[in-house]
Amino acid sequence: MIFAEADEAKRLLTMQFTNRVSVEEMLDLVPKMPVLLSAIAPGFTLLTDLSQLEWMDPACAPEIGNLMDLVSAKGVKTVVRVIPDPAKDIGFALMSSFHYGREVRVVVHETLEDGLQSVPPIHLLEEEGVAQEIANDLTPGAPG
């Protein structure tokens, strides 16, 4: 099963792969991704959770590459992967080098808890004023 969700406010795209994932499920997901990605601004984080994955059809590899290309074209900034067992990587690390640019930061964690902790709670926007407003909101006693 595949679950995908975009959180515009957090600038977070979450993809969870659970149980057994077939190529048919992957083929169903790919055309839905542009709609999900339209709800999120460039500079977002992708959280990919494989912690509950039992098996994925090897025929999914080309579609994973297509998903990576879509996410990269939209402007992903950070990719956080949760892979408890390195044997379940199923080529994500290798494919990343071909589908993401060098500017994309990729981090891998063994637990979902660690992965969630590495997702920034707020993405600071490029505009200095907005970044300062967010910093003031987070600092006790700061003017604002």
Side-chain angles (χ1 to χ4, degrees), residues 37-136:
L37 289 169
S38 70
I40 200 163
F44 64 96
T45 296
L46 168 63
L47 173 64
T48 304
D49 179 12
L50 305 177
S51 63
Q52 301 299 313
L53 180 66
E54 294 173 14
W55 175 85
M56 183 179 285
D57 188 329
C60 291
E63 301 314 317
I64 291 171
N66 289 338
L67 291 172
M68 288 179 170
D69 289 340
L70 289 169
V71 168
S72 182
K74 180 62 182 191
V76 66
K77 182 177 181 178
T78 304
V79 175
V80 176
R81 280 197 200 108
V82 178
I83 304 176
D85 177 359
K88 290 184 181 179
D89 182 300
I90 60 172
F92 277 85
L94 179 63
M95 287 190 285
S96 292
S97 62
F98 293 102
H99 296 279
Y100 296 135
R102 292 179 188 220
E103 67 280 356
V104 177
R105 180 175 168 253
V106 178
V107 294
V108 180
H109 296 281
E110 290 184 3
T111 67
L112 182 57
E113 181 181 353
D114 289 342
L116 289 171
Q117 288 179 5
S118 72
V119 173
I122 296 175
H123 292 273
L124 297 179
L125 303 176
E126 314 310 334
E127 296 88 319
E128 188 175 320
V130 173
Q132 187 57 51
E133 275 183 47
I134 292 170
N136 286 344

